[in-house]
Amino acid sequence: MKQLSYFVIILTLALAQVQAQEVAILKYNGGGDWYANPTALPNLIRFCNENAGTEINEKPQTVEVGSSTIFQYPFLHMTGHGNVVFSDEEADNLRTYLFSGGFLHIDDNYGMAPYLKKALEKVFPNSTLEELGSDHPIFKEIFKFPEGLPKIHEHDGKRPQALGVFQENRLILLFTTESDLGDGWEDPSVHNDPEEIRTKALQMGANIMTYAFKN
């Protein structure tokens, strides 16, 4: 029965990837504001459709970590500032999703990192986050970032980091921190970022999406 369920999950993800390039926002528990940056993902999707040849639905849906609905979306996006908590069932569901071909991008909106890393220990008890080198293909998918992840907002002034979890050399989870790409994706009036900064954020986001859909 478990083998049949696993086959159904893989088939669902495969069909989702064939039928449409769909993305969804991941809703999690713990008190963190999973709903932060409401204009960010729609703006990034629009940018990708106009500049990266994608055909993504411009109105991303919201899915919960423990729901089977996540298997309908090849790409999940998660963000926030605060606490993140996964139950055992949610951790199992997310792990199955990622090992079955799904992709999760987590963008630290400032202050999320310590909580997230603890939550991910439950999802990946035998794996740790690894830093991606600036030579990783995700930094040259469409737009070139020879120095790796760009710095969008200063926050603590630390260097930006792209951290990942791999399954047999496939990047299945990307965590971007000390960069705050999502703030750069938001409407210009929200943070008043210079157009150059917003462009860098959107271009890096487009690289992430196109890389995920190809791999």
Side-chain angles (χ1 to χ4, degrees):
M1 182 64 70
K2 287 185 177 180
Q3 288 183 337
L4 179 59
S5 299
Y6 190 68
F7 173 76
V8 171
I9 287 169
I10 292 176
L11 181 60
T12 300
L13 267 173
L15 287 173
Q17 290 171 335
V18 170
Q19 291 173 349
Q21 295 172 316
E22 295 288 343
V23 304
I25 298 167
L26 194 64
K27 178 182 178 181
Y28 53 89
N29 295 310
D33 53 343
W34 58 267
Y35 45 82
N37 293 355
T39 65
L41 197 55
N43 283 343
L44 175 60
I45 291 172
R46 192 173 304 112
F47 180 86
C48 289
N49 289 346
E50 292 174 356
N51 298 276
T54 56
E55 297 180 358
I56 307 168
N57 187 334
E58 293 189 6
K59 295 182 179 180
Q61 300 300 307
T62 298
V63 294
E64 297 187 4
V65 182
S67 171
S68 61
T69 309
I70 66 174
F71 295 95
Q72 298 177 21
Y73 299 91
F75 187 107
L76 297 178
H77 175 73
M78 175 177 168
T79 192
H81 296 84
N83 197 18
V84 178
V85 173
F86 296 145
S87 68
D88 290 341
E89 292 77 13
E90 289 172 335
D92 288 344
N93 196 52
L94 184 57
R95 185 188 313 110
T96 301
Y97 164 81
L98 294 169
F99 284 177
S100 300
F103 184 91
L104 172 61
H105 173 222
I106 307 170
D107 187 50
D108 188 351
N109 205 5
Y110 189 48
M112 182 191 222
Y115 306 106
L116 176 73
K117 290 176 180 178
K118 184 177 180 179
L120 289 181
E121 290 176 359
K122 185 175 287 189
V123 182
F124 304 108
N126 300 313
S127 302
T128 57
L129 288 165
E130 304 175 31
E131 184 164 7
L132 277 61
S134 58
D135 59 344
H136 191 277
I138 206 165
F139 297 120
K140 46 191 173 185
E141 181 65 33
I142 297 179
F143 303 100
K144 310 305 179 186
F145 290 89
E147 297 181 2
L149 188 67
K151 185 78 169 176
I152 304 304
H153 279 195
E154 285 302 318
H155 295 317
D156 293 329
K158 298 178 181 178
R159 68 181 181 89
Q161 286 186 289
L163 307 170
V165 175
F166 293 83
Q167 179 201 25
E168 297 179 351
N169 296 321
R170 183 179 77 90
L171 181 64
I172 59 177
L173 180 148
L174 176 67
F175 176 46
T176 48
T177 184
E178 289 295 334
S179 171
D180 210 337
L181 294 172
D183 276 7
W185 301 342
E186 286 232 80
D187 287 347
S189 60
V190 178
H191 299 288
N192 295 312
D193 287 329
E195 190 59 30
E196 176 187 355
I197 295 296
R198 290 194 70 247
T199 298
K200 283 184 180 179
L202 290 164
Q203 288 178 341
M204 186 65 235
N207 275 13
I208 294 169
M209 279 204 176
T210 53
Y211 176 87
F213 284 130
K214 286 182 180 179
N215 296 276

